[in-house]
Amino acid sequence: MSKLNASDKFLDLSDYGRSFGRFFALQLKETRFTPIHVTLLFGISGLLAIYCILSQFYLAAAFFIILKSGIDAADGELARLKNTPSYVGRYLDSVFDIILNFLFLMSICYVSKTSIWVALLAFIGIQLQGTLYNYYYVILRNKSIGGDATSKIFEYKTPKALPGETQQAVNILFGIYTLVYSIFDKIIHFLDADAYKVKTFPNWFMTSLSLYGLGFQLLIIAFMLPLGWIEFIAPFFIIYSLLIFVIIAIRKCFIH
């Protein structure tokens, strides 16, 4: 958890790929590979998982889904090792995630009896879950002494390009990021508009919240696919979304 001060670190159940990501990043530290290259690589892993789902190679799909989570952790680690923070990398990472999430659900819909509307509801649920996790996590990171502040709590304004990237690239990717994520951000901000006023979030709360992290969501999919539970994946995530209201209620009642 290099994004947080030691006192704010928690057991992130969605970040199981961090050890692999750090190891992978260390191997690339002295090479010409950049964090953007690693981001592209996790995109390829996600596409391979989608191909395997469509081909009904569910064990292989599970492997590439989990590999994607490990590689996903490596781009940020490499950026920190090379001291090359990047808004381009931050937004490209997020745009890839939402595209892959959509394609995962559509692929599952295609090879199963899942209705397109159920799959779309599951996609919306997954995005709201992940947005809630990111909302609270970014608040914690911004309030943590020495924590990473590349991500902002409220991202309404195009940031100024960092060294090594162009303002045009930042503008384009920020525009795409805003287009695909703004509706989910607005919904979560509406449901808990005062969360940013919290001084900090206790470790037990963040660990519980990490069940909504993208890595854990993908782990659930990777677990259900080889077991032949593909028909239950989309309905599960729809029901799983109901915990959003429970988590927000706990935050409002007990964490100030």
Side-chain angles (χ1 to χ4, degrees):
M1 292 221 128
S2 45
K3 297 178 181 179
L4 295 170
N5 180 279
S7 62
D8 294 315
K9 291 182 179 180
F10 61 94
L11 176 61
D12 190 342
L13 300 175
S14 72
D15 202 28
Y16 53 85
R18 182 65 51 184
S19 296
F20 172 81
R22 188 175 295 113
F23 171 79
F24 189 38
L26 284 170
Q27 310 313 305
L28 301 177
K29 181 181 179 182
E30 305 300 331
T31 71
R32 294 184 180 181
F33 278 88
T34 68
I36 301 296
H37 292 142
V38 178
T39 301
L40 294 173
L41 188 59
F42 93 64
I44 292 172
S45 182
L47 291 175
L48 287 172
I50 290 164
Y51 170 78
C52 290
I53 292 172
L54 293 174
S55 302
Q56 300 185 33
F57 301 145
Y58 296 141
L59 188 59
F63 169 80
F64 284 115
I65 287 172
I66 294 173
L67 179 62
K68 182 261 183 192
S69 294
I71 299 175
D72 195 1
D75 54 5
E77 290 292 337
L78 186 60
R80 282 180 282 277
L81 286 172
K82 292 195 172 190
N83 194 25
T84 55
S86 168
Y87 286 114
V88 168
R90 181 257 186 274
Y91 295 128
L92 184 63
D93 186 300
S94 296
V95 169
F96 273 12
D97 278 336
I98 195 169
I99 291 173
L100 289 173
N101 286 351
F102 179 78
L103 292 177
F104 285 146
L105 268 299
M106 291 304 103
S107 300
I108 289 168
C109 173
Y110 182 79
V111 299
S112 68
K113 297 178 182 178
T114 304
S115 160
I116 183 67
W117 300 110
V118 171
L120 285 172
L121 280 175
F123 169 72
I124 292 170
I126 284 176
Q127 291 309 130
L128 288 174
Q129 295 163 28
T131 300
L132 181 66
Y133 167 77
N134 289 329
Y135 181 42
Y136 289 157
Y137 189 21
V138 171
I139 290 172
L140 180 63
R141 281 160 55 182
N142 277 262
K143 293 185 181 250
S144 181
I145 299 173
D148 171 69
T150 303
S151 300
K152 305 300 180 185
I153 299 172
F154 301 106
E155 301 201 63
Y156 301 135
K157 183 179 179 182
T158 306
K160 183 178 179 181
L162 294 168
E165 60 186 6
T166 67
Q167 188 62 53
Q168 182 181 19
V170 173
N171 292 347
I172 292 172
L173 282 167
F174 179 76
I176 297 172
Y177 170 86
T178 302
L179 179 66
V180 297
Y181 279 102
S182 60
I183 183 62
F184 303 109
D185 289 341
K186 288 176 181 177
I187 291 172
I188 294 301
H189 292 167
F190 172 77
L191 291 174
D192 194 359
D194 293 330
Y196 73 96
K197 298 178 182 179
V198 173
K199 292 182 179 180
T200 189
F201 294 107
N203 293 349
W204 63 265
F205 178 78
M206 292 304 299
T207 294
S208 301
L209 180 65
S210 70
L211 294 172
Y212 268 177
L214 177 58
F216 198 83
Q217 293 171 328
L218 293 180
L219 186 63
I220 292 172
I221 294 174
F223 177 78
M224 296 179 78
L225 280 173
L227 291 178
W229 296 350
I230 192 168
E231 306 288 347
F232 302 106
I233 291 176
F236 170 83
F237 280 106
I238 293 172
I239 297 171
Y240 198 43
S241 297
L242 297 177
L243 287 176
I244 289 174
F245 301 101
V246 175
I247 292 170
I248 291 176
I250 291 173
R251 202 294 297 164
K252 288 184 176 181
C253 292
F254 303 106
I255 304 171
H256 304 285

